[in-house]
């Protein structure tokens, strides 16, 4: 879809990803770089700080992306490109409505008769793509779990907090993936357990939630209270995932007390 990344600025020449590109393009750029710099690429000894910052800044617009789970790319009369799956009947109805609207709109549509000759369903011009959720979580996996180098604790905490905030807005399946990923981070980085308790904050001051810098937003001064909201989510699978994470946290806390 045509949602841009961040606010357009004339002084964006130093950005890894231009603020004028779409979310999918930005994710693909970051993912490509991470694949190159992971595994044997770690021998290059390059600092991934800028990539962390770029992905951290993408989380809020991704939280508002209505089609984050879409896996079908279509070219329809309204300009929509990344959509949920459209069956042949829905594609035909959309084309018929566009043709009724006028010849200029219909001219931009594919020939349904030619498409039908190709696949018998009139949807040959659709293409299956990876969802933006898939791209996001692969980036997160490579950044925090797929590298031998350990990320800084404040940076991990900042991503945990922003992912939890985004999970409040995501569809159930993506929200569950977000909660499960936070739990995996808690296992690998036990120093961020303090985010699960409002009484044991490791930092002082204020958490700067609108600052797109995971190293400077002071995440250790807050907690993951979003998990309690997710426990009363309208979807049972999200409730269960949040309950599992909190149960894991209580078990770990009890183990440390013993």
């Amino acid at each position: 879809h045509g949602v841009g990344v961040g606010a357009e600025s004339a002084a964006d020449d130093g950005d890894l990803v231009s603020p004028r590109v779409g979310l999918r393009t930005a994710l693909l750029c970051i993912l490509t770089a991470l694949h190159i710099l992971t595994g044997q690429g770690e021998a290059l000894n390059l600092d991934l700080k800028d990539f962390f910052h770029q992905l951290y800044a993408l989380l809020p617009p991704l939280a508002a992306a209505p089609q984050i789970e879409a896996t079908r790319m279509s070219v329809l009369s309204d300009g929509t490109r990344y959509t949920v799956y459209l069956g042949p009947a829905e594609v035909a109805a959309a084309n018929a409505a566009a043709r009724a609207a006028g010849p200029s709109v219909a001219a931009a549509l594919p020939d349904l008769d030619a498409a039908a000759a190709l696949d018998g369903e009139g949807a040959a011009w659709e293409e299956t793509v990876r969802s933006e959720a898939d791209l996001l979580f692969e980036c997160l996996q490579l950044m925090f779990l797929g590298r031998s180098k350990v990320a800084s604790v404040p940076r991990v905490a900042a991503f945990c907090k922003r992912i939890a905030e985004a999970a409040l807005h995501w569809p159930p399946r993506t929200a569950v993936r977000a909660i499960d990923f936070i739990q995996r981070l808690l296992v690998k980085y036990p120093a961020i357990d303090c985010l699960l308790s409002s009484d044991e904050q490791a930092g002082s001051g204020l958490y700067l939630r609108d600052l797109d810098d995971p190293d400077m937003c002071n995440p250790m001064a807050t907690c993951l209270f979003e998990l309690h909201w997710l426990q009363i989510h309208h979807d049972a699978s999200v409730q269960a995932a949040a309950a599992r994470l909190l149960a894991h946290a209580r078990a770990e806390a009890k183990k440390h007390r013993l």
Side-chain angles (χ1 to χ4, degrees):
H1 46 75
V3 179
V5 180
E8 185 171 338
S9 170
D12 62 1
D13 294 338
D15 289 346
L16 293 170
V17 179
S18 168
R20 290 187 289 271
V21 305
L23 293 175
R24 176 177 294 273
T25 303
L27 286 170
L28 287 170
C29 289
I30 296 171
L31 183 58
T32 300
L34 290 173
H35 273 297
I36 293 172
L37 298 174
T38 301
Q40 293 184 349
E42 290 190 57
L44 296 174
N45 198 28
L46 297 177
D47 188 1
L48 293 180
K49 177 181 177 180
D50 290 338
F51 294 101
F52 280 94
H53 288 197
Q54 291 285 334
L55 188 62
Y56 187 74
L58 286 179
L59 285 170
L62 283 169
Q67 297 172 355
I68 192 170
E69 294 181 352
T71 57
R72 301 289 288 189
M73 182 176 72
S74 305
V75 183
L76 300 180
S77 59
D78 62 357
T80 302
R81 290 191 59 80
Y82 296 99
T83 68
V84 294
Y85 173 73
L86 295 177
E90 295 168 299
V91 171
N95 286 349
R99 291 192 174 97
S104 61
V105 174
L109 293 171
D111 186 342
L112 273 182
D113 295 333
L118 290 175
D119 68 357
E121 295 183 341
W125 50 284
E126 289 195 355
E127 179 183 352
T128 300
V129 296
R130 295 186 64 193
S131 70
E132 290 169 359
D134 288 340
L135 298 175
L136 169 63
F137 284 102
E138 185 174 352
C139 286
L140 292 170
Q141 165 74 25
L142 290 172
M143 280 184 165
F144 294 105
L145 303 175
R147 295 173 55 82
S148 59
K149 297 177 182 178
V150 179
S152 70
V153 171
R155 186 178 292 174
V156 177
F159 270 87
C160 276
K161 179 65 175 178
R162 189 162 274 195
I163 291 170
E165 292 171 347
L168 295 173
H169 306 280
W170 279 332
R173 182 168 52 183
T174 303
V176 169
R177 293 177 71 176
I179 296 168
D180 290 342
F181 183 78
I182 291 173
Q183 182 167 341
R184 295 174 69 187
L185 289 181
L186 289 166
V187 171
K188 182 171 182 178
Y189 301 90
I192 63 173
D193 283 351
C194 59
L195 292 177
L196 297 172
S197 173
S198 59
D199 299 326
E200 299 179 9
Q201 294 172 2
S204 59
L206 296 174
Y207 165 57
L208 306 176
R209 68 183 303 273
D210 295 324
L211 183 64
D212 287 335
D213 187 338
D215 299 323
M216 300 297 293
C217 65
N218 196 24
M220 308 304 282
T222 186
C223 62
L224 296 178
F225 57 81
E226 293 84 3
L227 294 174
H228 295 284
W229 290 350
L230 291 166
Q231 275 195 298
I232 57 173
H233 195 274
H234 66 86
D235 187 87
S237 63
V238 179
Q239 296 178 18
R244 283 197 305 270
L245 194 158
L246 292 171
H248 166 79
R250 286 192 291 268
E252 289 297 310
K254 183 178 179 181
K255 184 189 305 181
H256 291 314
R257 285 196 298 270
L258 295 176

